Amino acid sequence: MSELASYAVDDANSRGRALVEPRPKARSEFQRDRDRIVHSTAFRRLEYKTQVFVNHEGDLFRTRLTHSIEVAQIARSIARALRLNDDLAEAIALAHDLGHTPFGHAGQDALNECMRDHGGFEHNLQSLRIVDRLEERYGAFDGLNLMFETREGILKHCSPACARNLGELGRRFLDGRRPSLEAQICNLADEIAYNNHDVDDGLRSGLLTVEQLESVSLFARHAAAAKDDFPRLSERRRVHETIRRMIDALVTDLLAESARRIAAAAPRTLDDVRAAPALIGFTDAMRAENAALKEFLRTHLYQHYQVLRMTSKARRIIHDLFHAFVADPRLLPPQYQRMAETESGTRATADYIAGMTDRYSIKEHRRLFSVGGP
Ligand code: MG
C-alpha cells in the first residue's frame, strides 16, 4: 500500500486517548479502536436493530450490522484510494450507528419526544456516550477509551449547546472547522450505502417497483445500461447489476471530485484539512442526482403506508416503555436503577431503551403491558 498522505490521520499526529495507554504491540492505534468496537456489546446488538424494516419482518433485509459493514467497505475503499487512514475510516464506520434505538428513525424520534424536557435524545450523541461511558468491558476505564479522531468521526453533528459541553471534541462545531477527511468520507459512505440498500430492500419487499424507480435518473440510467449489456437477465439480477453500477458511479464521482478539491486546497497537514472547507464530496451534478434518489425514497418508501404503520407501532412501544419506567424506576433492571440514582431516572431509562434491539423492546413491552403475556 502506498504511504499515507501527510494530511491523513495517523498514530503520530493523533490527539490520542483520554486515558493514556501503552501502545499496542502488533497493531496501530486505530486498528485497536476498530477491534474494540467489534468486540463491544453495542456492536453485536446492531444485528437485531433495523433501519426501515423491523427485524423480524424478513431475514433478507439489511440490519444496522450489515449496514455498518457496507459503510465500512465503501469508506475503506475511498480512504485507501485517497491515501488516507483506512483503519480509522473503518473504525468510524463500524461505530457510527451504535447509538441507534430500536426501530430506526421512528424509535429515535419517539425517544427524543419522551426526553424533550430532559436534555433530548440524539442517536449520534448516544453513539459517543456508548464508546465514552456505557460499555463496561475494561478494568481501567468506562467505555472503550477510543482515540480522539475516532470519537470526532462518530460525532457527526451536534448543536452549539451540546458542543459547549463536549470540550475539545465539541470545539469544531463552535469554530466552524471540519473533522478529518476519514470522518468526512464516512458521512458520505453512509449515504451511499443506505440509499442503495434501501432501493434493494424496497424492491425486495415489494413496497417499491422498478417502474417507479425509473423516474429517478440515477437508477434509470444504470438500469438501461445494465439492460443493454445483459438483455436477458431476470429482473432480480438486473436490479442487483443496476445497484452495483449506482454504487460504483457514486464512489467514482466522489473520488474524482474529492481528489480535485484536495489538489486545489493543497493541505499539508491534518490542521490544514480541519481549517479547509469540506474536501470530500460529490460533483454538483451527482449531488443533485443523489438528492433526487433520497427524495424518491422519502416519499415512496419511508412514507409508504405499510412502513408508517410500523413506525406508529414503534412509537407507541417506545412511549409506553419510557413512561412506565419513569413512573416507577423499580421496574428497571438493577444496573439501570443504580444509574437512575447517580445520573437521572430519565437518562437511565433512555440508555436502557436505546440499548434494546427491536425484538427485545417488543418482548419488554409485552412483559410490562400484556396481562396474559409471558
Ligand atoms: Mg448509518
Side-chain angles (χ1 to χ4, degrees):
M1 190 190 137
S2 56
E3 217 178 290
L4 290 185
S6 60
Y7 43 83
V9 175
D10 63 19
D11 290 7
N13 66 12
S14 167
R15 297 187 197 175
R17 304 181 190 276
L19 186 83
V20 177
E21 296 184 58
R23 288 181 54 89
K25 290 187 193 72
R27 306 173 279 185
S28 72
E29 295 281 11
F30 293 98
Q31 287 171 337
R32 170 149 76 181
D33 275 11
R34 176 204 54 208
D35 300 347
R36 286 184 176 181
I37 291 159
V38 168
H39 288 281
S40 69
T41 304
F43 184 72
R44 277 197 303 286
R45 286 184 182 157
L46 294 176
E47 182 177 1
Y48 300 104
K49 292 193 182 197
T50 41
Q51 318 228 98
V52 180
F53 300 92
V54 173
N55 180 255
H56 61 258
E57 291 197 343
D59 290 342
L60 297 175
F61 300 130
R62 262 65 169 194
T63 66
R64 287 208 180 270
L65 180 65
T66 54
H67 162 69
S68 300
I69 293 170
E70 289 181 28
V71 176
Q73 179 275 313
I74 293 170
R76 244 185 2 241
S77 300
I78 296 170
R80 200 170 287 198
L82 295 173
R83 293 197 301 125
L84 297 165
N85 187 334
D86 57 320
D87 294 322
L88 170 59
E90 184 178 18
I92 297 171
L94 293 177
H96 86 283
D97 270 354
L98 290 181
H100 263 289
T101 61
F103 311 123
H105 286 279
Q108 121 107 21
D109 292 346
L111 197 51
N112 190 28
E113 283 163 24
C114 295
M115 289 292 286
R116 190 178 295 139
D117 299 328
H118 315 281
F121 178 88
E122 212 276 314
H123 66 87
N124 193 220
L125 267 178
Q126 189 70 8
S127 299
L128 188 69
R129 189 168 156 80
I130 287 171
V131 301
D132 280 356
R133 300 183 51 186
L134 297 181
E135 282 287 326
E136 295 180 332
R137 312 189 69 78
Y138 298 89
F141 45 81
D142 286 341
L144 306 179
N145 195 34
L146 299 179
M147 299 289 275
F148 178 90
E149 293 74 15
T150 311
R151 299 170 59 235
E152 170 193 62
I154 290 172
L155 190 66
K156 269 196 281 200
H157 38 74
C158 155
S159 67
C162 123
R164 276 189 278 275
N165 292 326
L166 288 171
E168 212 23 45
L169 201 65
R171 191 178 303 271
R172 75 178 166 93
F173 298 99
L174 304 171
D175 298 351
R177 288 161 70 85
R178 245 68 42 200
S180 70
L181 296 182
E182 290 83 350
Q184 295 181 36
I185 286 172
C186 285
N187 281 344
L188 291 170
D190 187 20
E191 226 181 287
I192 294 173
Y194 67 66
N195 284 334
N196 285 284
H197 64 52
D198 286 352
V199 167
D200 190 14
D201 287 351
L203 288 169
R204 190 188 294 275
S205 65
L207 301 188
L208 298 179
T209 64
V210 170
E211 293 68 44
Q212 278 179 317
L213 267 158
E214 274 164 352
S215 68
V216 179
S217 64
L218 187 64
F219 184 91
R221 194 169 68 247
H222 293 291
K227 199 170 191 168
D228 276 354
D229 289 349
F230 305 105
R232 286 174 359 183
L233 285 191
S234 68
E235 181 175 289
R236 195 61 231 147
R237 200 152 151 182
R238 187 149 59 228
V239 164
H240 285 144
E241 179 63 30
T242 303
I243 292 172
R244 183 189 75 71
R245 289 169 186 235
M246 282 164 57
I247 295 175
D248 186 61
L250 286 157
V251 170
T252 305
D253 179 273
L254 185 81
L255 278 175
E257 173 65 9
S258 304
R260 188 191 68 75
R261 290 189 200 175
I262 292 169
R268 295 181 50 211
T269 65
L270 182 50
D271 278 341
D272 292 345
V273 161
R274 290 193 162 119
L279 296 181
I280 303 295
F282 297 115
T283 57
D284 288 345
M286 188 56 97
R287 198 172 48 233
E289 284 207 295
N290 196 39
L293 172 61
K294 265 172 106 157
E295 179 55 26
F296 172 90
L297 287 169
R298 201 177 60 78
T299 329
H300 297 278
L301 183 61
Y302 312 142
Q303 291 178 4
H304 191 287
Y305 83 97
Q306 287 184 35
V307 172
L308 290 180
R309 283 181 179 191
M310 202 196 70
T311 307
S312 103
K313 213 189 317 183
R315 224 178 133 251
R316 202 156 339 111
I317 290 175
I318 302 278
H319 274 272
D320 287 350
L321 290 177
F322 183 85
H323 294 297
F325 292 129
V326 170
D328 188 354
R330 292 172 310 169
L331 302 179
L332 286 167
Q335 163 199 5
Y336 290 95
Q337 286 188 35
R338 281 194 297 277
M339 241 165 91
E341 283 159 20
T342 52
E343 211 147 339
S344 77
T346 48
R347 186 55 63 189
T349 299
D351 284 340
Y352 179 45
I353 293 176
M356 293 178 185
T357 61
D358 295 3
R359 61 183 186 181
Y360 183 90
S361 65
I362 294 170
K363 256 194 218 156
E364 189 72 334
H365 191 268
R366 214 177 288 143
R367 281 193 285 261
L368 283 168
F369 292 98
S370 164
V371 179

